Amino acid sequence: MSSILPQNHAIRSSQRALDKIGTIQRRFSTNRAKNTSRHVLLPARVYCISSSSSSSSKIATITTKPPPVSEPLTYDPLTPITKIKTSNNTRSVLNDPSLKSTWAHRAWMASGCTTVLIPLARSATGALDSHMWAGPLIAGCIGYILSDLASGIYHWGIDNYGSAKTPVFGAQIDAFQGHHKWPWTITRREFSNNLHSLARAVTFTVLPIDLFCKDPTTLAFVGVCSGCIMFSQQFHSWAHGTKSKLPSMVLALQDAGILVSREQHAAHHRVPYNNNYCIVSGIWNAILDESKFFELLEMIFFFKFGVRPRSWSEPNSEWIEETEIQSIPASH
């Protein structure tokens, strides 16, 4: 009798241990079904003591493992990994040839600068000979003020109407409308690449005036106005620049309101994308926006020609700015 009790006790101990193993396996199966992203293998080792007789006892070790997991094991780190989704349309700026200046661009820039300097030089010479400086100076200031207005009207027009297929202006329309999606590319363009289109337009427009006009006041107005319009794209580029990377003189001119500031132009790239069009000094932006000047023009165009401006539509993927991502070439 005394030999049977220890044996029964050992059997009961083994049964309790096996019951615990079954419980662990069931919990494991339930957890695996609930969370398939984590698979943990739980080995269980049970020591059962059994006695075949009162005079001898043996210690047996039984190792029980859960059934093998058919799904592949995955690693779930403690720190979440942020996935960055990129669009196929995101432009890379590393070694992009479209942002580089060519010799043709440089030639047009030289032509445009020469065309602008000629009326300024002739105006200064005429004022020096006649000792009448007031007229050319006032005309120059008016030219500077009106150049900002002209840049705003032109910017509004190509932002809202036409496409890349539009004759004559198609390239400029495509560039300005695409600028809303990739505004940072303008800061990566080389100088002549950024300004050559306006330099070409100034050459053809101002050169005839240089040849036939002799009035110092008119020449001063033409020289300053055309020069500010030609360099407006550079002012525009500086308005997108990082403050720490801009020359101190440019920062001083922006802070003084002589050149369009970064804060003012940033509003143009926010919803509803229909204000702050002027990019020379920005002095006309508040006047034009508060008076609803461009909204009036849009209504006239709509009722006269039945053409809706882009600013009337809900912003889509063409308006939404994409973050600058520089692609890194693979090393293999």
Side-chain angles (χ1 to χ4, degrees), residues 269-321:
H269 288 269
R270 292 193 291 265
V271 178
Y273 306 105
N274 63 356
N275 52 45
N276 290 277
Y277 287 105
C278 301
I279 55 175
V280 173
S281 63
I283 58 177
W284 282 92
N285 281 326
I287 299 172
L288 297 175
D289 294 341
E290 292 174 3
S291 64
K292 308 295 183 182
F293 175 78
F294 291 120
E295 293 183 17
L296 176 61
L297 287 183
E298 290 166 358
M299 294 296 294
I300 293 173
F301 272 65
F302 177 71
F303 288 112
K304 183 70 175 178
F305 305 106
V307 180
R308 292 170 58 91
R310 295 176 77 227
S311 61
W312 286 11
S313 304
E314 288 295 326
N316 54 26
S317 59
E318 295 181 358
W319 286 96
I320 306 303
E321 177 181 347

Side-chain angles (χ1 to χ4, degrees), residues 6-255:
Q7 187 175 5
N8 291 339
H9 176 73
I11 292 173
R12 286 195 298 271
S13 298
S14 300
Q15 289 177 346
R16 285 196 298 269
L18 291 174
D19 291 339
K20 290 182 179 180
I21 293 172
T23 303
I24 293 173
Q25 290 178 341
R26 286 193 298 272
R27 289 178 180 175
F28 171 79
S29 299
T30 303
N31 292 336
R32 184 177 63 184
K34 290 181 179 179
N35 186 4
T36 58
S37 64
R38 295 184 181 181
H39 306 282
V40 182
L41 209 57
L42 297 176
R45 177 169 295 178
V46 180
Y47 296 89
C48 298
I49 303 174
S50 62
S51 176
S52 58
S53 64
S54 59
S55 58
S56 62
S57 62
K58 295 182 180 180
I59 300 176
T61 302
I62 301 175
T63 302
T64 304
K65 296 182 180 179
V69 180
S70 59
E71 298 86 349
L73 295 176
T74 59
Y75 174 67
D76 187 11
L78 295 178
T79 303
I81 299 175
T82 303
K83 295 182 179 179
I84 301 174
K85 297 182 179 179
T86 60
S87 169
N88 293 330
N89 294 326
T90 303
R91 298 181 178 179
S92 171
V93 297
L94 291 177
N95 302 319
D96 188 347
S98 67
L99 305 181
K100 305 293 182 182
S101 295
T102 65
W103 286 109
H105 296 162
R106 297 184 181 97
W108 280 117
M109 274 306 302
S111 174
C113 290
T114 302
T115 305
V116 168
L117 288 174
I118 288 175
L120 293 177
R122 292 182 62 189
S123 175
T125 302
L128 182 63
D129 293 340
S130 62
H131 302 286
M132 298 178 63
W133 293 92
L137 289 175
I138 294 174
C141 293
I142 294 175
Y144 162 75
I145 294 172
L146 292 183
S147 67
D148 187 58
L149 175 62
S151 72
I153 294 175
Y154 184 73
H155 190 179
W156 162 80
I158 61 180
D159 257 13
N160 287 282
Y161 301 99
S163 66
K165 298 180 180 179
T166 302
V168 182
F169 301 100
Q172 282 280 298
I173 292 172
D174 185 45
F176 267 77
Q177 292 181 358
H179 172 68
H180 281 271
K181 193 173 185 65
W182 301 285
W184 40 267
T185 57
I186 194 173
T187 64
R188 302 296 187 267
R189 290 188 180 275
E190 294 185 350
F191 178 75
S192 297
N193 180 292
N194 194 25
L195 303 183
H196 75 278
S197 296
L198 290 173
R200 181 167 57 244
V202 166
T203 298
F204 289 119
T205 304
V206 177
L207 187 58
I209 300 175
D210 293 347
L211 296 176
F212 299 106
C213 182
K214 297 182 180 179
D215 179 51
T217 302
T218 303
L219 291 172
F221 171 83
V222 170
V224 173
C225 186
S226 61
C228 289
I229 290 175
M230 185 176 69
F231 285 98
S232 63
Q233 270 294 81
Q234 185 58 48
F235 306 153
H236 186 191
S237 175
W238 285 334
H240 282 280
T242 304
K243 186 174 183 180
S244 60
K245 296 180 180 180
L246 292 176
S248 56
M249 179 61 70
V250 172
L251 292 175
L253 293 174
Q254 288 179 341
D255 293 340

